[in-house]
Amino acid sequence: MNKELFISEVEKLGIKVTQDKLNKLNRYYELLVEWNEKINLTAITDKEEVYLKHFYDSLTLIKAYDLNNNIKVCDIGTGAGFPGIVLKIFFDNIDITLVDALNKRINFLNIVIDELKLDKIHAIHERAETFAKKHIEEFDLVTSRAVAKLNILNELSIPILKINGYFIPMKANIEEELKKSQNSLKVLNSTLEKIITFNLPKENSIRNLIVINKNSKTSDKYPRNFDKIKKNPL
Ligand code: SAH
């Protein structure tokens, strides 16, 4: 999507676009492309595609959750910073933790954080299962885009939510996974409140925001030791 379409679509999401935010996104894009030559960050490098499939797509989380408050957010498996860095650029007030198992990506994120002078943002090099054990009930909102199957993600994300917090994974295809995740939601005392389905502008591919609410405390059994479930594609 070109710059004009990006601005108008982001404004349709109810998000204010300022020149400062556009400058930050532009610098982020430059760093992404530059570093992508040295370390594998993204398969998408065309500018209009990055603005649509990474930048705009990351901001669609606002369809499911109001990010205008001083909340604590965690992005599991953030990769090159999606959706976490983009959310931070547009919502200064949030305190966000980005987690990824690949150190090279975390180093890249720290360069972006420095260059863009972002604050209240923490890039952590850790596997989600280790991170989760140390951060029980810390976050108001946990998100994760294109990382793992829902039953696995639930186990890693719901324990770190405060009671009544929300886990909102962002996914393209979900049908099969949804069925297989029913039991994990039950044992983690959480409910699937709704699924917000929409199409990306321009190319119309499908997106889903799965809105999961943590109803009460998670049993001490979770997150489980991952030896037991490591056959899953995480
Ligand atoms: N969320 C980003 C990246 C998706 S790729 C985006 O939408 O573009 C999946 C990312 O999850 C990779 O960066 C990978 O390193 C990370 N990842 C995979 N398993 C993980 C684990 N167990 N703990 C933490 N990060 C993990």
Side-chain angles (χ1 to χ4, degrees), residues 7-177:
I7 295 172
S8 76
E9 289 294 336
V10 172
E11 284 181 341
K12 272 194 217 159
L13 294 172
I15 301 172
K16 207 167 163 251
V17 182
T18 61
Q19 191 55 49
D20 173 60
K21 296 190 192 322
L22 290 174
N23 293 344
K24 284 186 170 140
L25 277 187
N26 191 52
R27 187 69 192 122
Y28 183 21
Y29 171 74
E30 287 172 357
L31 289 167
L32 183 71
V33 174
E34 184 189 326
W35 283 87
N36 201 43
E37 288 179 10
K38 294 173 228 170
I39 55 173
N40 177 20
L41 292 168
T42 174
I44 302 169
T45 52
D46 173 76
K47 192 164 191 174
E48 294 204 0
E49 262 196 276
V50 170
Y51 271 70
L52 175 64
K53 293 185 185 162
H54 287 328
F55 295 171
Y56 173 81
D57 190 45
S58 293
L59 291 171
T60 60
L61 186 62
I62 193 77
K63 287 174 184 279
Y65 195 98
D66 181 6
L67 289 152
N68 289 294
N69 299 310
N70 295 336
I71 49 164
K72 279 192 80 172
V73 183
C74 183
D75 179 8
I76 300 278
T78 188
F82 307 118
I85 293 270
V86 188
L87 295 176
K88 182 66 220 185
I89 290 173
F90 280 84
F91 298 94
D92 298 336
N93 45 285
I94 63 174
D95 183 310
I96 191 162
T97 301
L98 315 174
V99 182
D100 203 282
L102 272 188
N103 202 28
K104 284 181 184 169
R105 296 197 175 137
I106 294 297
N107 291 342
F108 166 73
L109 294 173
N110 278 320
I111 290 166
V112 174
I113 290 167
D114 274 2
E115 281 244 1
L116 270 48
K117 300 194 171 52
L118 302 175
D119 64 1
K120 291 196 287 179
I121 182 162
H122 327 277
I124 312 282
H125 169 224
E126 201 154 55
R127 287 186 64 80
E129 38 278 61
T130 319
F131 177 85
K133 288 197 174 102
K134 298 190 235 166
H135 297 272
I136 302 292
E137 283 185 24
E138 274 187 26
F139 297 94
D140 300 282
L141 171 67
V142 177
T143 188
S144 183
R145 192 186 79 154
V147 173
K149 296 276 182 255
L150 199 54
N151 57 336
I152 306 291
L153 280 179
N154 283 339
E155 285 207 24
L156 299 174
S157 306
I158 292 171
I160 65 173
L161 281 178
K162 294 177 188 170
I163 292 164
N164 220 10
Y166 279 88
F167 173 45
I168 312 183
M170 310 175 81
K171 283 183 165 281
N173 301 311
I174 50 168
E175 266 155 49
E176 197 52 34
E177 288 182 40

